[in-house]
Every structure is written in structure tokens, then in C-alpha cells.
Amino acid sequence: MSLPDFSSAAELVMPPQGVAQRGIVVLFPGSDVADMDGAIEGVNGTVVSRPMLQVANRLACAGIASFRYNKRYVTGPTTVDRAKFDTLNGVDFAADGRAAVAFVKARANLQKLPLGLVGWSEGTTVAMAVSASDPSVRALVLMAPVVDTPAHVAQAQYLRIGKPYLARFADSGGLDADAIARADAGPGGDLAHIFVRMFRGFRPGERVNPLLDRNADGRISFEEADPIIASWYADGPNSGLGMSSTARALKGVEEAFSATTAQVLMLQGLNDSMIDPSAAQHFARRPDVHSRVKLITYAGLGHSLGSATSTQNDKLLPVAQKPLDDMARWLGEALSR
């Protein structure tokens, strides 16, 4: 598929021979570097799950074709032209999403099929933006939806996950190098370990991060770290928020909802580390959205809708069978209306 300054690898998955075709969906993966499978790299550098590939294969069995593609400048699960990729923003991802929909609609064998979109995490904001400009989209599936603004979602992650996880290894409200090493070797999930790395030293001889150890005593207290980390996540294009900053991100589901006409299914794990599940729950209860939004929550599942024993131990494992089956069933009904 042709995107600006980039030829994206893509795949169209059709239902098996003998299975009636019920619709076509375009898939949008999560944040940062993402190939067409939405491959997630674990802490040891290996790919631990491929949620978009799982979705494509399950929907094919239900008679629903799917189209997925590499994000712009991405050539593999973890390979990317980083210099170019880092110039992109949400508007670019939405434009690429519309190009994917146009690519599908241009195929003679797909033109008469009802159209849906499936987004995961950041991809839910792309799905909402694409749907807002295309009234032919009948159905939206939002996996771990970014309901609040992306900036607010990212800003909440340290206090929801990072600090509680680190606190398990702290003594008297702080961590020395040994405590940070224990946290690094501990059972936390992907997001918890991102914050552990913030506390580690990053130059030879540094045992703790000197930017957080303001009094240079070799120990980082939360009293020292909390305001500094908050300043790093201030809402600005050059802050630690990156693509989640208001200047670069698309609207969250709540803000974008009124611009769409599609039926919406939200799938939310209750042990989601990245996104507070209460946002989807509160949104789905609103009287003005209840008529066309269905929310299904899953105990024991995390951000990838894979198994997670807790929010702090969410390792973005493969999507569980139940949400895949729920998605296939709902899409089959929504696309046939």
C-alpha cells in the first residue's frame, strides 16, 4: 500500500473457501513502532504477542475479511526509520488509515461488503478519526480504548502503575541502587519496568538516575521524584508525552464520539496497565452514548486483552479467546444491519 514517502507492507485476509463473506474491516494497531501484526516485544527482546494477526485470523473464520498494514516507516516488528517516524503525528496516522480504507474500497471483490474498523489502544483514536470522515463505516471495535485524552492517559500511568510497583521495593519512601535492581528483576509488566528504567543510572558509574536524585545521596525518594516526573510529562510536543501530547495526538474516544455514526463495541481488560478501565466504564454508562455503545469487560485480562494477574504485572500477552469470540460475534451482527 502506498503511503506518503513510503511503500507499506500489507495483508488482506479473506475468509476460508466455503465461508460466506459478511464484511470487511481495517485494523489499526497500538502506539509507537507497530507492524501489521501489532507485534509486541517483551523485556527480553522477543515478540510475545501479535494481537492484530490474532484478530485477522479469528475474524476470517467468522466470514469477515480484514486488511492490515505496517505503520508508515515501519518495516518489521521492531524495525523502523526512527528519524522519519518521530516526525509523524496523529493526523498522519489518520491520513494513512483513510488511505487503507480507500485501498480496500478500490478492490472490486470488496466494494459491496459492509465496512468496519478495529483499533487497539492508540489505534482506537485512529479508528475514531477515520470513522468521523467516512459515514460508510458501520461498526467500530475498540480494544483497550483511549477514552480520555491521550495526554491524560499517559500522565496517569506513573501514579497508577509505576509508583505503586516501585513502592513494593522501597524503604522509607525511597529506593537505592539495590532496591532499583530488585524492582528491575521483579515480576512487573512492561509499563512497570519502563518506570524502573527511569530510576536507574544511565551513565557508567551511576547507580541511580542523578536527575531524580536531587540531593545526590545515592537514594531516590518519591518526594524528590514525583514532581520531576510530573514535569517530564507536562503536556507539550517536546515533553516525555511524545505522541500522546495534545499537539501531536488525535482526540480520545469520548471527545471524538459525536462525530461518528457507527455502532461501537469496546473491549476492556480490568487489569489493563496502560489505561484505567474506569474511563470506558464511565463513558459507556452515559445516557447519550448508551444506545450505540456496548462495553464488555474482562477480569484477569490486561491491555492487550491477554492474561494479566494484576495491573502491575501486565505483560501484553496474546489476546485471550473470549474477547476474540465476542468481537467476531458482535461484528457479524453489526455489519449485517
Side-chain angles (χ1 to χ4, degrees):
M1 184 180 73
S2 294
L3 299 174
D5 189 37
F6 184 68
S7 179
S8 173
E11 184 173 29
L12 176 66
V13 178
M14 300 296 294
Q17 188 173 4
V19 176
Q21 296 183 26
R22 306 170 70 183
I24 173 72
V25 296
V26 179
L27 310 183
F28 306 116
S31 62
D32 202 51
V33 177
D35 70 348
M36 69 177 77
D37 296 340
I40 299 167
E41 188 179 48
V43 293
N44 60 357
T46 61
V47 173
V48 297
S49 59
R50 303 178 189 272
M52 295 293 98
L53 178 60
Q54 285 186 266
V55 169
N57 289 339
R58 178 61 184 91
L59 294 183
C61 294
I64 301 168
S66 65
F67 180 75
R68 66 193 199 284
Y69 60 98
N70 287 352
K71 279 188 177 181
R72 203 189 306 185
Y73 305 128
V74 173
T75 53
T78 58
T79 53
V80 62
D81 185 333
R82 176 55 75 173
K84 290 183 177 179
F85 185 86
D86 285 346
T87 67
L88 300 174
N89 56 36
V91 172
D92 297 313
F93 293 139
D96 294 348
R98 287 189 286 271
V101 170
F103 183 89
V104 166
K105 288 183 175 182
R107 295 180 66 95
N109 63 326
L110 302 176
Q111 288 175 349
K112 294 183 180 181
L113 294 177
L115 175 65
L117 308 176
V118 177
W120 172 54
S121 192
E122 179 189 82
T124 63
T125 68
V126 178
M128 294 296 291
V130 173
S131 177
S133 61
D134 190 343
S136 71
V137 176
R138 293 192 191 181
L140 290 170
V141 176
L142 308 178
M143 305 165 61
V146 180
V147 175
D148 200 353
T149 67
H152 288 167
V153 169
Q155 288 167 334
Q157 290 172 345
Y158 171 66
L159 293 179
R160 275 192 71 237
I161 305 299
K163 184 176 180 179
Y165 178 73
L166 286 160
R168 293 162 58 179
F169 305 89
D171 178 46
S172 301
L175 299 100
D176 59 16
D178 291 337
I180 295 169
R182 289 195 299 272
D184 203 16
D190 288 37
L191 184 59
H193 278 93
I194 285 173
F195 287 106
V196 173
R197 290 194 290 272
M198 263 186 205
F199 277 62
R200 289 190 322 210
F202 51 90
R203 297 188 186 95
E206 289 178 349
R207 303 197 68 205
V208 301
N209 186 341
L211 300 177
L212 297 179
D213 182 17
R214 296 301 295 272
N215 62 6
D217 65 350
R219 180 178 180 276
I220 300 173
S221 69
F222 292 119
E223 185 178 3
E224 289 175 296
D226 288 359
I228 298 170
I229 291 174
S231 72
W232 291 347
Y233 282 80
D235 191 7
N238 298 315
S239 74
L241 288 176
M243 260 298 304
S244 295
S245 68
T246 300
R248 298 181 64 189
L250 294 167
K251 295 177 180 178
V253 172
E254 185 169 28
E255 187 178 2
F257 178 75
S258 62
T260 70
T261 58
Q263 295 294 310
V264 178
L265 173 66
M266 299 195 300
L267 305 176
Q268 178 65 65
L270 294 179
N271 284 347
D272 190 326
S273 60
M274 303 288 182
I275 295 172
D276 189 341
S278 67
Q281 294 170 318
H282 292 158
F283 177 69
R285 287 196 292 265
R286 275 178 32 181
D288 58 323
V289 305
H290 186 71
S291 63
R292 62 184 176 96
V293 174
K294 179 176 182 178
L295 170 65
I296 305 177
T297 59
Y298 302 92
L301 300 189
H303 186 60
S304 63
L305 295 173
S307 178
T309 56
S310 71
T311 56
Q312 294 176 24
N313 194 31
D314 182 4
K315 297 183 179 179
L316 307 182
L317 297 178
V319 185
Q321 193 62 44
K322 184 65 163 60
L324 291 171
D325 291 344
D326 289 340
M327 180 192 312
R329 186 180 308 109
W330 182 89
L331 271 172
E333 294 172 357
L335 293 174
S336 64
R337 291 173 186 164

Short mmCIF file of all heavy atoms in Angstrom, two decimals, residues 200-241:
data_model
loop_
_atom_site.label_atom_id
_atom_site.label_comp_id
_atom_site.label_asym_id
_atom_site.label_seq_id
_atom_site.Cartn_x
_atom_site.Cartn_y
_atom_site.Cartn_z
N ARG A 200 16.89 4.08 37.23
CA ARG A 200 18.25 3.55 37.13
C ARG A 200 19.24 4.61 36.65
O ARG A 200 18.87 5.55 35.95
CB ARG A 200 18.31 2.39 36.12
CG ARG A 200 17.64 1.14 36.58
CD ARG A 200 17.93 -0.02 35.64
NE ARG A 200 17.97 0.31 34.23
CZ ARG A 200 17.64 -0.53 33.27
NH1 ARG A 200 17.27 -1.76 33.55
NH2 ARG A 200 17.70 -0.16 32.00
N GLY A 201 20.51 4.43 37.00
CA GLY A 201 21.55 5.26 36.40
C GLY A 201 21.68 4.96 34.92
O GLY A 201 21.39 3.84 34.48
N PHE A 202 22.10 5.94 34.16
CA PHE A 202 22.19 5.73 32.72
C PHE A 202 23.57 6.03 32.15
O PHE A 202 23.77 5.94 30.94
CB PHE A 202 21.13 6.56 31.98
CG PHE A 202 21.09 8.02 32.35
CD1 PHE A 202 21.85 8.95 31.67
CD2 PHE A 202 20.26 8.45 33.38
CE1 PHE A 202 21.80 10.29 32.01
CE2 PHE A 202 20.20 9.80 33.72
CZ PHE A 202 20.97 10.72 33.03
N ARG A 203 24.53 6.36 32.99
CA ARG A 203 25.91 6.54 32.54
C ARG A 203 26.81 5.61 33.36
O ARG A 203 26.44 5.20 34.46
CB ARG A 203 26.38 7.99 32.73
CG ARG A 203 25.62 9.02 31.90
CD ARG A 203 26.30 10.38 32.01
NE ARG A 203 25.55 11.44 31.36
CZ ARG A 203 24.69 12.24 31.98
NH1 ARG A 203 24.50 12.12 33.28
NH2 ARG A 203 24.05 13.19 31.30
N PRO A 204 27.99 5.26 32.81
CA PRO A 204 28.90 4.41 33.57
C PRO A 204 29.17 4.98 34.96
O PRO A 204 29.46 6.16 35.12
CB PRO A 204 30.17 4.40 32.71
CG PRO A 204 29.68 4.66 31.32
CD PRO A 204 28.53 5.60 31.47
N GLY A 205 29.05 4.13 35.96
CA GLY A 205 29.32 4.55 37.32
C GLY A 205 28.12 5.10 38.06
O GLY A 205 28.17 5.26 39.29
N GLU A 206 27.03 5.42 37.35
CA GLU A 206 25.84 5.95 38.01
C GLU A 206 24.96 4.79 38.48
O GLU A 206 24.54 3.95 37.68
CB GLU A 206 25.04 6.83 37.04
CG GLU A 206 25.69 8.15 36.73
CD GLU A 206 24.90 8.97 35.75
OE1 GLU A 206 23.94 8.43 35.15
OE2 GLU A 206 25.24 10.15 35.56
N ARG A 207 24.64 4.77 39.74
CA ARG A 207 23.83 3.68 40.28
C ARG A 207 22.35 4.05 40.31
O ARG A 207 21.49 3.18 40.31
CB ARG A 207 24.32 3.30 41.67
CG ARG A 207 25.80 2.91 41.70
CD ARG A 207 26.14 2.16 42.96
NE ARG A 207 25.49 0.86 42.99
CZ ARG A 207 25.20 0.20 44.11
NH1 ARG A 207 25.50 0.73 45.29
NH2 ARG A 207 24.62 -0.98 44.07
N VAL A 208 22.06 5.33 40.39
CA VAL A 208 20.67 5.81 40.31
C VAL A 208 20.65 6.99 39.34
O VAL A 208 21.69 7.58 39.04
CB VAL A 208 20.12 6.22 41.69
CG1 VAL A 208 20.16 5.06 42.67
CG2 VAL A 208 20.87 7.43 42.25
N ASN A 209 19.49 7.34 38.88
CA ASN A 209 19.35 8.45 37.94
C ASN A 209 19.62 9.77 38.66
O ASN A 209 18.85 10.17 39.54
CB ASN A 209 17.94 8.44 37.35
CG ASN A 209 17.76 9.49 36.25
OD1 ASN A 209 18.52 10.44 36.15
ND2 ASN A 209 16.72 9.31 35.44
N PRO A 210 20.68 10.50 38.31
CA PRO A 210 21.01 11.73 39.02
C PRO A 210 19.97 12.83 38.81
O PRO A 210 19.89 13.77 39.60
CB PRO A 210 22.38 12.12 38.44
CG PRO A 210 22.41 11.49 37.07
CD PRO A 210 21.66 10.20 37.22
N LEU A 211 19.19 12.72 37.75
CA LEU A 211 18.16 13.73 37.51
C LEU A 211 17.03 13.64 38.54
O LEU A 211 16.32 14.62 38.78
CB LEU A 211 17.59 13.58 36.10
CG LEU A 211 18.58 13.75 34.95
CD1 LEU A 211 17.90 13.49 33.62
CD2 LEU A 211 19.21 15.14 34.97
N LEU A 212 16.88 12.45 39.12
CA LEU A 212 15.86 12.25 40.15
C LEU A 212 16.45 12.31 41.56
O LEU A 212 15.73 12.58 42.52
CB LEU A 212 15.15 10.91 39.95
CG LEU A 212 14.35 10.75 38.65
CD1 LEU A 212 13.72 9.36 38.58
CD2 LEU A 212 13.25 11.81 38.54
N ASP A 213 17.74 12.05 41.67
CA ASP A 213 18.41 12.10 42.97
C ASP A 213 18.93 13.52 43.20
O ASP A 213 20.12 13.80 43.10
CB ASP A 213 19.56 11.09 42.98
CG ASP A 213 20.31 11.04 44.31
OD1 ASP A 213 19.75 11.54 45.31
OD2 ASP A 213 21.43 10.52 44.33
N ARG A 214 18.05 14.41 43.54
CA ARG A 214 18.38 15.83 43.58
C ARG A 214 19.40 16.16 44.68
O ARG A 214 20.19 17.09 44.52
CB ARG A 214 17.11 16.67 43.79
CG ARG A 214 16.10 16.55 42.65
CD ARG A 214 16.69 16.98 41.31
NE ARG A 214 17.03 18.38 41.27
CZ ARG A 214 16.18 19.35 40.91
NH1 ARG A 214 14.94 19.05 40.55
NH2 ARG A 214 16.58 20.60 40.88
N ASN A 215 19.37 15.43 45.79
CA ASN A 215 20.33 15.74 46.85
C ASN A 215 21.60 14.89 46.78
O ASN A 215 22.46 14.95 47.66
CB ASN A 215 19.69 15.60 48.23
CG ASN A 215 19.22 14.18 48.50
OD1 ASN A 215 19.46 13.27 47.70
ND2 ASN A 215 18.52 13.99 49.61
N ALA A 216 21.71 14.08 45.69
CA ALA A 216 22.92 13.31 45.40
C ALA A 216 23.35 12.40 46.56
O ALA A 216 24.56 12.24 46.82
CB ALA A 216 24.06 14.25 45.00
N ASP A 217 22.37 11.79 47.23
CA ASP A 217 22.73 10.90 48.34
C ASP A 217 22.70 9.43 47.94
O ASP A 217 22.81 8.54 48.78
CB ASP A 217 21.80 11.14 49.54
CG ASP A 217 20.35 10.77 49.25
OD1 ASP A 217 20.01 10.49 48.07
OD2 ASP A 217 19.54 10.76 50.20
N GLY A 218 22.55 9.15 46.63
CA GLY A 218 22.54 7.78 46.15
C GLY A 218 21.22 7.07 46.38
O GLY A 218 21.14 5.84 46.22
N ARG A 219 20.20 7.83 46.72
CA ARG A 219 18.89 7.26 47.01
C ARG A 219 17.83 8.21 46.48
O ARG A 219 17.92 9.42 46.68
CB ARG A 219 18.73 7.09 48.52
CG ARG A 219 17.42 6.50 48.99
CD ARG A 219 17.47 6.35 50.53
NE ARG A 219 16.23 5.78 51.05
CZ ARG A 219 15.13 6.48 51.31
NH1 ARG A 219 15.14 7.81 51.12
NH2 ARG A 219 14.05 5.89 51.78
N ILE A 220 16.83 7.66 45.77
CA ILE A 220 15.78 8.49 45.20
C ILE A 220 14.51 8.33 46.03
O ILE A 220 13.94 7.24 46.11
CB ILE A 220 15.49 8.11 43.73
CG1 ILE A 220 16.73 8.28 42.87
CG2 ILE A 220 14.34 8.95 43.18
CD1 ILE A 220 16.57 7.75 41.45
N SER A 221 14.09 9.39 46.65
CA SER A 221 12.83 9.37 47.40
C SER A 221 11.70 9.75 46.45
O SER A 221 11.89 10.46 45.46
CB SER A 221 12.87 10.34 48.57
OG SER A 221 12.87 11.68 48.11
N PHE A 222 10.51 9.29 46.77
CA PHE A 222 9.36 9.68 45.95
C PHE A 222 9.10 11.18 46.09
O PHE A 222 8.59 11.82 45.17
CB PHE A 222 8.12 8.88 46.34
CG PHE A 222 8.23 7.41 45.98
CD1 PHE A 222 8.17 6.44 46.94
CD2 PHE A 222 8.40 7.03 44.66
CE1 PHE A 222 8.27 5.09 46.61
CE2 PHE A 222 8.51 5.69 44.31
CZ PHE A 222 8.45 4.72 45.29
N GLU A 223 9.45 11.74 47.25
CA GLU A 223 9.29 13.18 47.43
C GLU A 223 10.14 13.95 46.42
O GLU A 223 9.74 14.99 45.91
CB GLU A 223 9.69 13.56 48.87
CG GLU A 223 9.47 15.02 49.21
CD GLU A 223 9.83 15.34 50.65
OE1 GLU A 223 10.30 14.43 51.36
OE2 GLU A 223 9.64 16.50 51.06
N GLU A 224 11.33 13.41 46.12
CA GLU A 224 12.18 14.01 45.08
C GLU A 224 11.63 13.74 43.69
O GLU A 224 11.56 14.63 42.84
CB GLU A 224 13.59 13.41 45.15
CG GLU A 224 14.44 13.80 46.33
CD GLU A 224 15.75 13.04 46.32
OE1 GLU A 224 15.75 11.80 46.45
OE2 GLU A 224 16.80 13.71 46.16
N ALA A 225 11.27 12.48 43.43
CA ALA A 225 10.98 12.04 42.07
C ALA A 225 9.63 12.51 41.55
O ALA A 225 9.52 12.87 40.36
CB ALA A 225 11.04 10.52 41.99
N ASP A 226 8.62 12.51 42.39
CA ASP A 226 7.26 12.74 41.90
C ASP A 226 7.10 14.06 41.13
O ASP A 226 6.58 14.07 40.01
CB ASP A 226 6.26 12.69 43.05
CG ASP A 226 6.05 11.28 43.59
OD1 ASP A 226 6.66 10.34 43.04
OD2 ASP A 226 5.28 11.11 44.55
N PRO A 227 7.53 15.20 41.68
CA PRO A 227 7.36 16.45 40.92
C PRO A 227 8.20 16.51 39.66
O PRO A 227 7.80 17.13 38.67
CB PRO A 227 7.76 17.53 41.93
CG PRO A 227 8.61 16.85 42.94
CD PRO A 227 8.09 15.45 43.04
N ILE A 228 9.37 15.86 39.66
CA ILE A 228 10.22 15.88 38.47
C ILE A 228 9.58 15.07 37.36
O ILE A 228 9.50 15.51 36.19
CB ILE A 228 11.62 15.34 38.80
CG1 ILE A 228 12.30 16.22 39.85
CG2 ILE A 228 12.48 15.27 37.53
CD1 ILE A 228 13.58 15.64 40.41
N ILE A 229 9.09 13.87 37.69
CA ILE A 229 8.43 13.04 36.68
C ILE A 229 7.19 13.74 36.16
O ILE A 229 6.90 13.72 34.95
CB ILE A 229 8.11 11.66 37.27
CG1 ILE A 229 9.41 10.89 37.53
CG2 ILE A 229 7.19 10.87 36.34
CD1 ILE A 229 9.22 9.57 38.24
N ALA A 230 6.45 14.41 37.04
CA ALA A 230 5.27 15.17 36.58
C ALA A 230 5.67 16.25 35.59
O ALA A 230 4.97 16.48 34.59
CB ALA A 230 4.55 15.78 37.78
N SER A 231 6.81 16.89 35.81
CA SER A 231 7.25 17.94 34.88
C SER A 231 7.67 17.34 33.54
O SER A 231 7.45 17.96 32.49
CB SER A 231 8.42 18.72 35.49
OG SER A 231 9.62 17.96 35.51
N TRP A 232 8.24 16.13 33.57
CA TRP A 232 8.61 15.48 32.31
C TRP A 232 7.37 15.15 31.48
O TRP A 232 7.44 15.09 30.26
CB TRP A 232 9.39 14.19 32.59
CG TRP A 232 10.75 14.41 33.15
CD1 TRP A 232 11.46 15.59 33.21
CD2 TRP A 232 11.60 13.43 33.75
NE1 TRP A 232 12.67 15.40 33.79
CE2 TRP A 232 12.80 14.08 34.14
CE3 TRP A 232 11.47 12.07 34.00
CZ2 TRP A 232 13.85 13.42 34.76
CZ3 TRP A 232 12.53 11.39 34.61
CH2 TRP A 232 13.69 12.05 34.99
N TYR A 233 6.25 14.92 32.14
CA TYR A 233 5.02 14.55 31.45
C TYR A 233 4.06 15.73 31.30
O TYR A 233 2.87 15.54 31.06
CB TYR A 233 4.33 13.39 32.18
CG TYR A 233 4.98 12.06 31.88
CD1 TYR A 233 6.15 11.66 32.54
CD2 TYR A 233 4.43 11.20 30.94
CE1 TYR A 233 6.75 10.46 32.26
CE2 TYR A 233 5.04 9.99 30.65
CZ TYR A 233 6.19 9.62 31.32
OH TYR A 233 6.79 8.42 31.03
N ALA A 234 4.59 16.94 31.43
CA ALA A 234 3.76 18.11 31.14
C ALA A 234 3.31 18.05 29.69
O ALA A 234 4.01 17.52 28.82
CB ALA A 234 4.56 19.38 31.40
N ASP A 235 2.13 18.57 29.42
CA ASP A 235 1.53 18.43 28.09
C ASP A 235 2.16 19.41 27.11
O ASP A 235 1.80 20.58 27.07
CB ASP A 235 0.02 18.66 28.18
CG ASP A 235 -0.68 18.27 26.88
OD1 ASP A 235 -0.02 17.71 25.98
OD2 ASP A 235 -1.89 18.53 26.77
N GLY A 236 3.10 18.91 26.33
CA GLY A 236 3.76 19.73 25.32
C GLY A 236 4.39 18.84 24.27
O GLY A 236 4.73 17.69 24.55
N PRO A 237 4.58 19.33 23.04
CA PRO A 237 5.10 18.49 21.95
C PRO A 237 6.50 17.96 22.19
O PRO A 237 6.89 16.95 21.61
CB PRO A 237 5.05 19.43 20.74
CG PRO A 237 5.04 20.81 21.32
CD PRO A 237 4.31 20.70 22.61
N ASN A 238 7.28 18.61 23.04
CA ASN A 238 8.65 18.18 23.29
C ASN A 238 8.83 17.54 24.66
O ASN A 238 9.95 17.36 25.12
CB ASN A 238 9.61 19.37 23.14
CG ASN A 238 9.58 19.95 21.73
OD1 ASN A 238 9.60 19.22 20.75
ND2 ASN A 238 9.51 21.27 21.65
N SER A 239 7.72 17.21 25.32
CA SER A 239 7.79 16.60 26.64
C SER A 239 7.91 15.09 26.52
O SER A 239 7.91 14.52 25.42
CB SER A 239 6.53 16.95 27.44
OG SER A 239 5.43 16.20 26.95
N GLY A 240 7.97 14.42 27.66
CA GLY A 240 8.01 12.97 27.67
C GLY A 240 6.73 12.34 27.15
O GLY A 240 6.70 11.13 26.91
N LEU A 241 5.70 13.12 26.95
CA LEU A 241 4.45 12.58 26.41
C LEU A 241 4.61 12.14 24.96
O LEU A 241 3.88 11.25 24.50
CB LEU A 241 3.33 13.61 26.51
CG LEU A 241 2.78 13.91 27.90
CD1 LEU A 241 1.75 15.01 27.82
CD2 LEU A 241 2.17 12.66 28.50
#
